[in-house]
Coordinates of all heavy atoms in Angstrom, one line a residue:
N126 N -5.9 12.7 -15.3 CA -5.9 11.2 -15.3 C -4.6 10.7 -14.7 O -4.7 9.7 -14.0 CB -6.0 10.7 -16.8 CG -7.4 11.0 -17.3 OD1 -8.4 11.0 -16.6 ND2 -7.4 11.1 -18.7
Q127 N -3.5 11.4 -14.9 CA -2.3 10.9 -14.3 C -2.3 11.1 -12.8 O -1.8 10.3 -12.1 CB -1.1 11.7 -14.9 CG -0.8 11.3 -16.3 CD 0.3 12.3 -16.9 OE1 0.5 13.4 -16.5 NE2 0.9 11.8 -17.9
K128 N -2.9 12.2 -12.3 CA -3.1 12.4 -10.9 C -3.9 11.3 -10.3 O -3.6 10.8 -9.2 CB -3.7 13.8 -10.6 CG -2.7 14.9 -10.8 CD -3.4 16.2 -10.3 CE -2.4 17.3 -10.4 NZ -2.9 18.6 -9.9
L129 N -5.0 10.9 -11.0 CA -5.8 9.8 -10.4 C -5.1 8.5 -10.4 O -5.2 7.7 -9.4 CB -7.1 9.7 -11.3 CG -8.1 10.8 -11.1 CD1 -9.3 10.6 -12.2 CD2 -8.7 10.8 -9.7
I130 N -4.3 8.2 -11.4 CA -3.5 7.0 -11.4 C -2.5 7.0 -10.3 O -2.3 6.0 -9.6 CB -2.9 6.8 -12.8 CG1 -3.9 6.5 -13.8 CG2 -1.8 5.7 -12.8 CD1 -3.4 6.5 -15.3
A131 N -1.8 8.1 -10.2 CA -0.7 8.2 -9.1 C -1.4 8.1 -7.7 O -0.8 7.5 -6.8 CB 0.0 9.5 -9.3
G132 N -2.5 8.8 -7.6 CA -3.2 8.7 -6.3 C -3.7 7.3 -5.9 O -3.6 6.9 -4.8
G133 N -4.2 6.6 -7.0 CA -4.6 5.2 -6.7 C -3.5 4.3 -6.3 O -3.6 3.5 -5.4
F134 N -2.4 4.4 -7.1 CA -1.2 3.6 -6.7 C -0.7 3.9 -5.3 O -0.3 3.1 -4.5 CB -0.1 3.8 -7.7 CG -0.2 3.0 -8.9 CD1 -0.1 3.5 -10.2 CD2 -0.4 1.6 -8.9 CE1 -0.2 2.8 -11.3 CE2 -0.5 0.8 -10.0 CZ -0.4 1.4 -11.3
Y135 N -0.7 5.2 -5.0 CA -0.3 5.7 -3.7 C -1.1 5.1 -2.6 O -0.6 4.6 -1.6 CB -0.2 7.2 -3.6 CG 0.2 7.8 -2.3 CD1 1.5 7.8 -1.9 CD2 -0.7 8.2 -1.4 CE1 1.9 8.3 -0.7 CE2 -0.4 8.7 -0.1 CZ 1.0 8.8 0.2 OH 1.4 9.2 1.4
L136 N -2.4 5.2 -2.7 CA -3.4 4.8 -1.7 C -3.3 3.2 -1.5 O -3.2 2.8 -0.3 CB -4.8 5.2 -2.0 CG -5.1 6.6 -1.7 CD1 -6.5 6.9 -2.2 CD2 -4.9 7.0 -0.3
I137 N -3.2 2.5 -2.6 CA -3.1 1.0 -2.4 C -1.8 0.6 -1.8 O -1.8 -0.2 -1.0 CB -3.3 0.4 -3.8 CG1 -4.8 0.6 -4.3 CG2 -3.1 -1.1 -3.7 CD1 -5.0 0.2 -5.7
G138 N -0.7 1.3 -2.3 CA 0.6 1.0 -1.7 C 0.7 1.3 -0.2 O 1.2 0.6 0.6
L139 N 0.2 2.5 0.1 CA 0.2 2.9 1.5 C -0.6 2.0 2.4 O -0.2 1.6 3.5 CB -0.3 4.4 1.7 CG -0.1 5.0 3.0 CD1 1.4 5.2 3.4 CD2 -0.8 6.4 3.0
L140 N -1.8 1.6 1.9 CA -2.7 0.7 2.7 C -2.0 -0.6 2.9 O -2.1 -1.2 4.0 CB -4.0 0.6 2.1 CG -4.9 1.8 2.2 CD1 -6.2 1.6 1.4 CD2 -5.2 2.1 3.6
S141 N -1.4 -1.2 1.9 CA -0.7 -2.5 2.0 C 0.5 -2.4 3.0 O 0.7 -3.3 3.8 CB -0.3 -3.0 0.7 OG 0.7 -2.2 0.1
V142 N 1.2 -1.3 2.9 CA 2.4 -1.2 3.9 C 1.8 -1.0 5.3 O 2.4 -1.6 6.2 CB 3.3 0.0 3.4 CG1 4.3 0.3 4.5 CG2 4.0 -0.3 2.1
L143 N 0.8 -0.2 5.5 CA 0.3 0.0 6.8 C -0.4 -1.3 7.4 O -0.3 -1.6 8.6 CB -0.7 1.1 6.8 CG -0.2 2.5 6.6 CD1 -1.3 3.6 6.6 CD2 0.8 2.9 7.8
F144 N -1.0 -2.0 6.5 CA -1.6 -3.3 6.9 C -0.5 -4.3 7.3 O -0.7 -5.0 8.3 CB -2.4 -3.9 5.8 CG -3.0 -5.3 6.1 CD1 -4.1 -5.3 7.0 CD2 -2.5 -6.4 5.6 CE1 -4.6 -6.6 7.3 CE2 -3.0 -7.6 5.9 CZ -4.1 -7.7 6.8
Q145 N 0.6 -4.3 6.6 CA 1.7 -5.2 7.0 C 2.3 -4.7 8.3 O 2.7 -5.5 9.1 CB 2.7 -5.2 5.9 CG 4.0 -6.0 6.2 CD 3.7 -7.4 6.5 OE1 2.8 -8.0 6.0 NE2 4.4 -7.9 7.5
A146 N 2.4 -3.4 8.5 CA 3.0 -2.9 9.7 C 2.1 -3.2 10.9 O 2.7 -3.4 12.0 CB 3.3 -1.4 9.6
S147 N 0.8 -3.3 10.7 CA 0.0 -3.5 11.9 C -0.2 -5.0 12.2 O -0.7 -5.3 13.2 CB -1.4 -2.9 11.6 OG -2.0 -3.5 10.5
S148 N 0.1 -5.9 11.2 CA -0.1 -7.3 11.5 C 1.1 -7.9 12.3 O 2.2 -7.3 12.2 CB -0.2 -8.1 10.2 OG 1.0 -8.0 9.4
S149 N 0.9 -8.9 13.0 CA 1.9 -9.5 13.8 C 2.8 -10.5 13.0 O 4.0 -10.7 13.4 CB 1.3 -10.3 15.0 OG 0.4 -11.3 14.5
E150 N 2.3 -11.0 11.9 CA 3.2 -11.9 11.1 C 3.9 -11.1 10.0 O 3.4 -10.1 9.5 CB 2.3 -12.9 10.4 CG 1.6 -13.9 11.4 CD 0.7 -14.8 10.7 OE1 0.8 -14.9 9.5 OE2 -0.1 -15.5 11.4
I151 N 5.1 -11.5 9.7 CA 5.9 -10.8 8.7 C 5.6 -11.5 7.4 O 5.9 -12.6 7.2 CB 7.4 -10.9 9.1 CG1 7.6 -10.1 10.4 CG2 8.2 -10.2 7.9 CD1 9.1 -10.2 10.9
N152 N 5.1 -10.7 6.4 CA 4.8 -11.1 5.1 C 5.6 -10.1 4.2 O 5.1 -9.1 3.9 CB 3.3 -11.1 4.8 CG 3.0 -11.7 3.4 OD1 3.9 -12.1 2.7 ND2 1.8 -11.7 3.1
Y153 N 6.8 -10.5 3.7 CA 7.6 -9.6 2.9 C 7.0 -9.4 1.5 O 7.2 -8.4 0.9 CB 9.0 -10.1 2.8 CG 9.8 -10.0 4.1 CD1 10.1 -11.2 4.8 CD2 10.1 -8.8 4.6 CE1 10.8 -11.1 6.0 CE2 10.8 -8.7 5.8 CZ 11.1 -9.8 6.5 OH 11.8 -9.7 7.7
T154 N 6.2 -10.3 1.0 CA 5.6 -10.2 -0.3 C 4.6 -9.0 -0.3 O 4.7 -8.1 -1.2 CB 4.8 -11.4 -0.7 OG1 5.7 -12.5 -0.6 CG2 4.3 -11.3 -2.1

């Protein structure tokens, strides 16, 4: 269960950082 929670947080965090890196506008939030 802890691995699933950590993996979920990791995937969501990584996707949001990669989405921000690929967009042209800077959204620090």
Side-chain angles (χ1 to χ4, degrees):
N126 291 335
Q127 290 173 336
K128 283 186 178 187
L129 289 174
I130 291 169
F134 278 130
Y135 178 78
L136 285 176
I137 294 169
L139 188 66
L140 288 175
S141 64
V142 168
L143 290 176
F144 178 74
Q145 175 57 39
S147 66
S148 67
S149 60
E150 298 178 9
I151 296 175
N152 184 2
Y153 289 110
T154 306

